[in-house]
Amino acid sequence: MQEGFDPIARMALQLAKLPGIGQKSAQRLAYHIAAMPQEAVKELAAALWQGRKALRFCDRCGNYAQDALCPICQEEKRQNGQICVVRDARDVAAMERMRDFKGLYHVLGGTLSPMHGIGPEDIRIQELMARLSTEPVDEIILATNPDIEGEATAAYIARLIKPMGIRVTRIAHGVPVGSDLEYTDEVTLAKAMEGRREL
């Protein structure tokens, strides 16, 4: 049987497209799925499909949501004048795991990367600036990753906001340089938040 038509090879090919899944892991997962009862596989596929179909982006912050606003933006008690700016929705989940931050978020949907042709108009910077003109904000916390793109994005946003008289801080570098917030443990994130500095 040709590999292109082998059902396990086809499953492995699709699974290998997921981040962090190499060819061997994809093949192992494909064999595991092949051994599962058909009803369980059907439930897995339905959960993935229905979950993806149900998701959209929050109209306010850009986080994943099922409704116009995500659950965080719907919480009245989170309206405390702080907005934490992150690269993507995974970073919101990472920040929420530490359970210390009680403000709102703004998801940029990426970072500035001139080498990859990503400029300010390609990420949600204008939406952030619009929020600052309509919402009572005392502090912007820049929590982009501590890599070249994340630092450049933080510096660019800080330059835009500082003339508005809003306090701009950057999370401390308790988060290792070159790492992603999504993989950072809660204690390290908490320390980084505590040690944030003004830009």
Side-chain angles (χ1 to χ4, degrees):
M1 187 180 289
Q2 290 183 336
E3 188 175 313
F5 297 102
D6 178 356
I8 291 176
R10 288 180 62 201
M11 287 191 290
L13 184 67
Q14 294 304 313
L15 290 165
K17 293 178 181 179
L18 297 171
I21 305 291
Q23 195 58 46
K24 284 184 179 181
S25 294
Q27 190 173 29
R28 204 167 28 253
L29 287 169
Y31 275 107
H32 178 79
I33 291 169
M36 290 170 62
Q38 286 188 359
E39 195 56 40
V41 175
K42 191 175 178 181
E43 286 178 27
L44 173 63
L48 293 171
W49 174 243
Q50 294 299 325
R52 178 58 191 96
K53 249 180 27 175
L55 286 175
R56 57 173 301 209
F57 292 110
C58 175
D59 291 344
R60 184 183 197 185
C61 75
N63 190 17
Y64 285 127
Q66 290 185 44
D67 302 311
L69 294 179
C70 71
I72 294 170
C73 284
Q74 290 179 34
E75 277 187 58
E76 289 281 328
K77 62 183 178 184
R78 308 241 8 186
Q79 319 290 328
N80 68 0
Q82 289 183 318
I83 296 178
C84 182
V85 178
V86 296
R87 181 191 62 186
D88 60 36
R90 292 174 296 187
D91 297 334
V92 172
M95 297 297 281
E96 284 297 289
R97 280 196 311 267
M98 101 179 143
R99 292 186 174 90
D100 283 346
F101 182 64
K102 302 299 181 202
L104 296 170
Y105 293 94
H106 186 82
V107 178
L108 294 170
T111 49
L112 298 176
S113 181
M115 288 185 64
H116 295 101
I118 301 171
E121 65 285 346
D122 298 312
I123 59 177
R124 299 183 69 250
I125 292 176
Q126 287 306 317
E127 289 85 343
L128 175 62
M129 300 309 289
R131 285 182 73 180
L132 298 182
S133 64
T134 59
E135 295 179 26
V137 179
D138 303 317
E139 180 184 12
I140 293 292
I141 302 166
L142 298 171
T144 52
N145 290 327
D147 55 20
I148 293 168
E149 290 87 3
E151 292 293 336
T153 304
Y156 180 83
I157 292 171
R159 278 197 306 275
L160 289 178
I161 295 173
K162 283 193 105 161
M164 300 171 79
I166 297 170
R167 182 175 182 225
V168 180
T169 58
R170 177 89 170 109
I171 60 171
H173 288 293
V175 178
V177 173
S179 69
D180 289 338
L181 287 179
E182 124 185 57
Y183 302 115
T184 305
D185 65 274
E186 296 83 67
V187 174
T188 303
L189 274 174
K191 291 295 179 194
M193 281 296 280
E194 285 172 21
R196 67 185 184 269
R197 58 184 164 76
E198 196 145 352
L199 294 179

